[in-house]
């Protein structure tokens, strides 16, 4: 067994620090996001992580609040910081902009300033999950 610099408890502690409910921890476990290392090495940015978890939360709970989405993004950013302190290299997207909305870091290059008013407006809800097959 390889030794990972983080355990599941590090992720649980971080989730509790940001007030994430237990059903979000269930999503982490069910989707094999079992440590800070896994989280940092799997997702390109906070948007991708947030969208991945939020979609599953929405399937299970019927809704994923803006507060929860913000907490997920904060958890991701904190996990990346903790990972960097232990020498983990975050996964970097091979494309210049991720398939979803760009993260704050990606918008530093000025390409994504066509609609700055979106940041002040309410974020539109994520699309509903596809219906189950018949």
């Amino acid at each position: 067994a390889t030794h990972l610099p983080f355990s599941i408890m590090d992720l649980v502690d971080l989730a509790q620090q940001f007030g994430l409910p237990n059903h979000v921890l269930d999503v982490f476990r069910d989707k094999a996001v079992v440590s800070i290392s896994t989280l940092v090495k799997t997702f390109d940015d906070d948007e991708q992580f947030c969208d991945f978890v939020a979609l599953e939360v929405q399937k299970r709970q019927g809704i994923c609040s803006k507060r929860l989405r913000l907490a997920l993004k904060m958890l991701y950013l904190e996990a990346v910081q903790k990972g960097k302190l232990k020498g983990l290299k975050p996964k970097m997207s091979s494309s210049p902009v991720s398939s979803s909305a760009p993260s704050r870091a990606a918008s530093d290059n000025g390409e994504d300033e066509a609609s700055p008013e979106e940041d002040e407006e309410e974020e539109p809800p994520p699309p509903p999950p596809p219906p189950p097959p018949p």
Side-chain angles (χ1 to χ4, degrees), residues 30-103:
D30 295 348
K31 294 295 183 179
V33 180
V34 294
S35 70
I36 290 174
S37 307
T38 308
L39 186 154
V40 170
K41 291 179 178 180
T42 304
F43 299 98
D44 290 337
D45 58 27
D46 58 326
E47 288 285 339
Q48 186 187 47
F49 171 69
C50 181
D51 291 346
F52 175 81
V53 177
L55 182 64
E56 191 61 31
V57 168
Q58 194 169 356
K59 283 182 195 172
R60 297 175 186 204
Q61 302 290 315
I63 190 168
C64 183
S65 68
K66 283 185 184 183
R67 182 191 170 285
L68 180 56
R69 290 181 66 87
L70 181 62
L72 288 168
K73 288 181 181 187
M74 291 168 50
L75 178 134
Y76 174 86
L77 296 172
E78 184 67 23
V80 168
Q81 285 303 104
K82 286 182 178 289
K84 284 180 180 175
L85 290 174
K86 290 206 179 183
L88 279 178
K89 299 244 185 295
K91 180 176 192 265
M92 288 296 164
S93 174
S94 55
S95 62
V97 176
S98 66
S99 58
S100 64
S103 68

Side-chain angles (χ1 to χ4, degrees), residues 11 23 28 49-50 83 96 124 133:
L11 187 59
H23 66 265
F28 289 174
F49 171 69
C50 181

